[in-house]
Structures are given as structure tokens and as C-alpha cells.
Amino acid sequence: MHARTVLVAILALPATVAWGNGAGHVPADWPHAHEDDQRFGYALIDRLEYRDDEGPNHLLWDAQGWYGGDYRRLWLKTEGERPVSDSNGEFEAQALFSQLVAPYWDLQAGVRYDRAFGSGPGRDRFFGVLGIQGLAPYRFETDAALFVSEDGDVSLRAEIEYELLLTQRLILQPRVELNAAAQEVKAWGVGEGLNDLQLGLRLRYEIRREFAPYVGVEWTRKFGDTADFARAEGHDASTAALVVGLRMWF
């Protein structure tokens, strides 16, 4: 029998025979279609490390997490550092709402809080945040944000990471971070223009996907007035550090 004859015969069948449950009805054992509105959560400690600097050694953390669906999420981010030898240090925290605007890209908006702590008087400040985070072509993980402080000071940060799989468990991760500011904020050691550039290279071994120790190096260079402020406080404008740490996610 020709294929055309078979197709005509099928189309001529009554709807109840063709579909099994009456015209236009989906069979009872078929799953019902519905919008995927489930909520999920994720937390990543990207860097939890000890840094052997040229000056005082430091402890550093850099973590973020989100809760939500595929299109809208609440993000929490925090990072900071403190010298091992004393109680001084600084940290920041961000609370952001994100909206998926393109495949692999989230537009984020929210607030940021900075605090410097230690033996002297504490300092803090608030920012509004507008940023974008996602996966650029060739799998470059990108996080860029514009900050506007409560005093109207504008600054910019961009971070780029890449993961090179040497084996299924051994991963080399280059990292670049760039900070710039539109205005000078001397109280926070920030100059106008390009503030600093950080170049890092970390090699981690994934004992499990969720748990990976690493070793690496990082070079930081301050520029312009930011470098002058650092020198005035007795710090170097350019530093290199050996790092050892953990990367974990849940």
C-alpha cells in the first residue's frame, strides 16, 4: 500500500479513534503542560583563601548565591579581606534582583554596603547597583557593575574568569578584575580614573565538583591617585601574592 493511501486512511478515521479520548482531547496518561515556575537555590564560595603577600599576609573571601526561577532571581554577594596580623579589614555585601534578558545573561539591580572595620573608627557607605552577569562567547564568565554611592560618586567594576580543563578534575582558572571611578574619594583611598588591575591564576583540584582546594598567584597594580594614596599609607602600589584556598558550592 502506498504511503499516500495510508495517510488518507488515517485522516479519514473518526476523531475518537485517532485520539482515543474524543475529539481534541489529550490522552489521559499524557502529562499536563504547565509553566515551569519552580524555585531553586545556589551558593558559591568562589575564593576562600590565605594570601602570602609582600607585606602583611591576608585572609580573603568572595562568595555569592541566588534564589529564584529561570527568569527572576534574588542574588546575594559578599567579599572582603583582613590582615592576619591585626583586626583591620573591609568587606562589602550586595543584594540584587535579576532578570534574564538574553540566553546566559542576567541584568541585575540593587544595593551595596561597604564597611571598613578595625582598631580605628569604622567607616561605611551605601551604593545603588546596576550590573550584568553571564557567560560571554568562548565561555568567559563575566560580572560587570556600575555603582553610585549615597554621595553621588560613580564607580565601575568588571570581573572576568575562564576555566581551562586540564583533566576532568584539574582546572586552571585565569581571573581579571578592573576597578575605575569617576570621582576621587580620598577617605576610601580611591582616585579618579583607573584605580587598579588584578591578574590572577589559580589551579584547583576538584576532589568533588562541590569541593576543590587550589593554589595560585595574583598580581595587583594600583594607578594614578589611588597608587599615591596607597603609598601615603605605607603600602606598595604594586604587589604579588601566593594564594592557597578552597572553592565550594552548594
Side-chain angles (χ1 to χ4, degrees), residues 40-63:
F40 303 95
Y42 173 75
L44 168 67
I45 302 175
D46 192 30
R47 294 181 293 160
L48 179 61
E49 65 189 30
Y50 174 84
R51 303 165 62 89
D52 186 0
D53 293 298
E54 296 173 350
N57 296 338
H58 285 75
L59 297 174
L60 178 144
W61 71 88
D62 181 2

Side-chain angles (χ1 to χ4, degrees), residues 62-93:
D62 181 2
Q64 59 182 282
W66 56 261
Y67 178 79
D70 294 329
Y71 300 99
R72 299 178 184 87
R73 294 172 178 172
L74 173 65
W75 286 77
L76 299 176
K77 302 181 182 182
T78 179
E79 63 179 87
E81 62 179 319
R82 54 161 295 180
V84 177
S85 57
D86 58 50
S87 59
N88 296 316
E90 58 184 24
F91 75 92
E92 73 171 54

Side-chain angles (χ1 to χ4, degrees), residues 66-143:
W66 56 261
Y67 178 79
D70 294 329
Y71 300 99
R72 299 178 184 87
R73 294 172 178 172
L74 173 65
W75 286 77
L76 299 176
K77 302 181 182 182
T78 179
E79 63 179 87
E81 62 179 319
R82 54 161 295 180
V84 177
S85 57
D86 58 50
S87 59
N88 296 316
E90 58 184 24
F91 75 92
E92 73 171 54
Q94 298 183 41
L96 308 169
F97 173 80
S98 77
Q99 170 68 51
L100 185 72
V101 293
Y104 308 112
W105 289 99
D106 285 324
L107 182 66
Q108 300 176 336
V111 294
R112 166 185 158 190
Y113 174 70
D114 285 8
R115 181 164 180 82
F117 57 88
S119 55
R123 294 172 290 132
D124 60 5
R125 55 180 179 170
F126 286 91
F127 295 83
V129 183
L130 180 63
I132 189 164
Q133 183 171 353
L135 195 63
Y138 302 102
R139 302 186 64 83
F140 286 94
E141 297 181 18
T142 305
D143 188 354

Side-chain angles (χ1 to χ4, degrees), residues 173-235:
Q173 184 183 53
R175 181 179 184 274
V176 179
E177 180 177 332
L178 180 71
N179 289 276
Q183 297 91 6
E184 176 185 299
V185 187
K186 189 174 182 179
W188 288 85
V190 173
E192 182 179 350
L194 179 61
N195 297 153
D196 60 66
L197 173 67
Q198 299 176 25
L199 302 176
L201 189 66
R202 291 167 175 80
L203 180 67
R204 73 174 184 265
Y205 182 78
E206 294 187 339
I207 299 174
R208 298 179 59 186
R209 293 301 182 194
E210 304 91 340
F211 185 85
Y214 64 80
V215 295
V217 294
E218 186 162 274
W219 175 77
T220 302
R221 178 73 168 88
K222 293 181 171 62
F223 301 95
D225 291 338
T226 304
D228 293 338
F229 295 150
R231 295 188 189 99
E233 294 180 358
H235 304 302

Side-chain angles (χ1 to χ4, degrees), residues 26-27 30-36:
V26 178
W30 283 23
H32 293 286
H34 60 81
E35 184 179 355
D36 185 4

